[in-house]
Amino acid sequence: MTASLFPVAGIPAGSEGRRVIYGIRPEHFSLGGSLQAKISVVEPTGSETQVFAQIGEQKLLGVFRERVTAAPGQMLAVAPNLEAVHLFDTQTGLRLN
């Protein structure tokens, strides 16, 4: 597994040195945390707020039950639920964890 900006709970056996795809559902992000996401769009949808953002070169979508008052261009601290992260082999597409 190559180094990444995105944290994982553990490195799956046999994945050392492999390129992986980091998979997480939008609702498995929470506000606060060590990742700084640059906001492009904030979309209140009633009970949830969708936030389109970017960390490094990676675009992401987060869905939050809390109100997000940040605006496009601002930074938002987010954290992934590490138990909900899935890693996939880039060559085979198979899930590694």
Side-chain angles (χ1 to χ4, degrees):
M1 188 167 105
T2 58
S4 169
L5 294 173
F6 296 93
V8 294
I11 298 173
S15 64
E16 272 305 314
R18 284 179 151 174
R19 293 186 57 85
V20 299
I21 296 169
Y22 188 95
I24 185 167
R25 293 182 182 274
E27 63 271 17
H28 291 150
F29 283 100
S30 60
L31 295 174
S34 61
L35 296 178
Q36 294 295 313
K38 185 173 183 180
I39 298 173
S40 55
V41 176
V42 176
E43 185 67 41
T45 62
S47 64
E48 298 176 333
T49 303
Q50 296 178 356
V51 176
F52 295 83
Q54 192 164 332
I55 297 175
E57 297 297 317
Q58 184 61 52
K59 293 181 181 181
L60 65 92
L61 167 63
V63 175
F64 305 99
R65 303 285 291 169
E66 303 93 338
R67 273 246 185 247
V68 176
T69 57
Q74 292 181 326
M75 300 302 283
L76 182 67
V78 298
N81 173 348
L82 298 183
E83 299 303 316
V85 169
H86 300 290
L87 300 175
F88 300 90
D89 185 287
T90 57
Q91 291 183 347
T92 65
L94 295 175
R95 185 174 154 193
L96 299 172
N97 63 342

